[in-house]
Amino acid sequence: MARLDRLNERYRLHHRAEKQEFVFGGDDRGGLFASLVGGPGKRVLDVGCRTGALTQYYAGGNDVVGVDVDSDALARARERLGIETVWADAEEGFPFEDGSFDVVVMGEILEHLADPAAAVANVHRVLRPGGRFVGSVPNAFRLKSRLAYARGRYPGDWDPTHLQLFTPEALRRLLTVFAEVEIRFAIGRFTPLYPRLFANVQVFSARRAG
């Protein structure tokens, strides 16, 4: 079985077991992504778009192409938003020409990848000079997770498809191919008190040199 077929089956079974679509902090993260994507008139590649639960926040007025390894989810995204979709693997590469997009979005995807650096290189290739790479990863070392680790347990929201844990420093190193990188902590009631310890998500925005 080819790699993309294996991933398709893995995520189809994983999300079927969840029984419902759930996007943690969806409104907050979607609004933040929308502000970073900008528009209207942007050509946007949404990598790991699934059914379009976050895509809907920045699809209006922009030309969005959704990519995912889950073909069933892509079908729902097309039906839901009417966007173009492509079945592809971010680590293997995208079937687009160099400099094809103004913005690439990758929300909560990098932690699922065996080779996130390959995916970042593929993102860099399809971004136009001056284009933006926007996304997020879990704040895996927030206080709740640290306490779970200290007790010898996985965090309560641990996902068996997660392959990576990112500190802000590790995330910044991953994105060094970009000219500018901004990382902020977001989502969580107590985040303003101590962002690094209480935020659930690290949101990043990086610019390709122009």
Side-chain angles (χ1 to χ4, degrees), residues 110-154:
L110 290 169
E111 68 274 12
H112 294 268
L113 305 181
D115 189 358
V120 169
N122 291 328
V123 167
H124 188 269
R125 180 187 69 80
V126 300
L127 270 175
R128 66 168 178 78
R132 285 277 169 188
F133 181 26
V134 172
S136 63
V137 297
N139 181 19
F141 297 94
R142 66 193 190 277
L143 181 61
K144 178 181 177 181
S145 296
R146 294 185 190 197
L147 293 174
Y149 295 140
R151 294 194 300 270
R153 300 176 181 175
Y154 286 120

Side-chain angles (χ1 to χ4, degrees), residues 134-176:
V134 172
S136 63
V137 297
N139 181 19
F141 297 94
R142 66 193 190 277
L143 181 61
K144 178 181 177 181
S145 296
R146 294 185 190 197
L147 293 174
Y149 295 140
R151 294 194 300 270
R153 300 176 181 175
Y154 286 120
D157 57 356
W158 182 76
D159 183 330
T161 64
H162 285 187
L163 304 179
Q164 310 288 339
L165 299 175
F166 290 102
T167 62
E169 294 75 17
L171 181 58
R172 193 175 295 277
R173 285 196 300 271
L174 180 66
L175 300 174
T176 51

